[in-house]
């Protein structure tokens, strides 16, 4: 997959200058939450990017048992691996009438924020800032 990304990093024509293409897409997977399902039904998993060849990863999120029918899975799992081989995983447990929306939103934004924080010179401070940014972003999304 790295070779594929490296090969896609530039397009070269014989008599033309090198034209950069899109940056490499990290491998990501995320469960789909917010669907009404039967107890113990598993959530669908959406994958994108190129999974590292040496990696084997699976996630499962199941609907709980609050009633016998029509439960909503409010839990979300997201995993991300960047070009450098760094992994980040987020598990968000939604609660309340809109818990699934909060969980899905956090699983969308947190992996990138945490990956950026892990590359910082001051990781503890960067992690605190990442969570603060995610909270602000979630508050903005709630208003929209």
């Amino acid at each position: 997959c790295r070779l594929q990304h490296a090969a896609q990093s530039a397009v070269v024509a014989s008599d033309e200058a090198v034209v950069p293409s899109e940056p490499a897409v990290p491998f990501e997977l995320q469960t789909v939450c917010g669907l009404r399902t039967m107890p113990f039904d598993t959530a669908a998993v959406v994958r994108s990017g190129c999974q590292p060849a040496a990696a084997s990863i699976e996630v499962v999120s199941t609907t709980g048992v609050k009633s016998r029918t029509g439960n909503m899975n409010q839990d979300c799992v997201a995993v991300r691996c960047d070009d450098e081989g760094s992994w980040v995983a987020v598990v968000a447990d939604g609660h309340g009438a809109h818990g699934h929306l909060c969980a899905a939103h956090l699983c969308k934004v947190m992996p990138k924020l945490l990956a950026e924080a892990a590359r910082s010179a001051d990781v503890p401070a960067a992690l605190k800032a990442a969570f603060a940014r995610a909270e602000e972003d979630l508050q903005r999304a709630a208003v929209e």
Side-chain angles (χ1 to χ4, degrees):
C1 197
R2 282 182 197 266
L3 293 177
Q4 181 181 12
H5 288 310
Q8 292 176 353
S9 65
V11 178
V12 180
S14 58
D15 294 331
E16 297 178 22
V18 174
V19 179
S21 64
E22 293 295 315
V25 176
F27 168 68
E28 297 178 325
L29 65 82
Q30 182 172 337
T31 59
V32 177
C33 68
L35 301 177
R36 291 210 174 275
T37 57
M38 296 300 292
F40 304 112
D41 282 353
T42 58
V45 178
V46 178
R47 296 171 185 259
S48 65
C50 185
Q51 182 170 337
S56 174
I57 183 159
E58 295 297 328
V59 298
V60 176
S61 178
T62 60
T63 302
V65 186
K66 290 185 180 176
S67 68
R68 293 184 186 259
T69 60
N71 295 314
M72 185 175 297
N73 183 345
Q74 293 190 313
D75 303 336
C76 190
V77 178
V79 178
R80 182 177 205 248
C81 179
D82 64 19
D83 292 0
E84 299 165 6
S86 297
W87 289 85
V88 173
V90 174
V91 177
D93 184 4
H95 293 269
H98 303 289
H100 59 289
L101 298 174
C102 296
H105 187 82
L106 289 173
C107 279
K108 180 180 174 185
V109 301
M110 285 301 298
K112 183 177 180 188
L113 292 173
L114 294 175
E116 290 170 357
R119 289 190 295 271
S120 173
D122 185 357
V123 174
L127 286 173
K128 287 180 184 178
F131 278 94
R133 281 182 57 198
E135 176 69 22
E136 291 167 5
D137 191 61
L138 186 58
Q139 293 288 339
R140 262 191 310 278
V143 172
E144 295 171 0

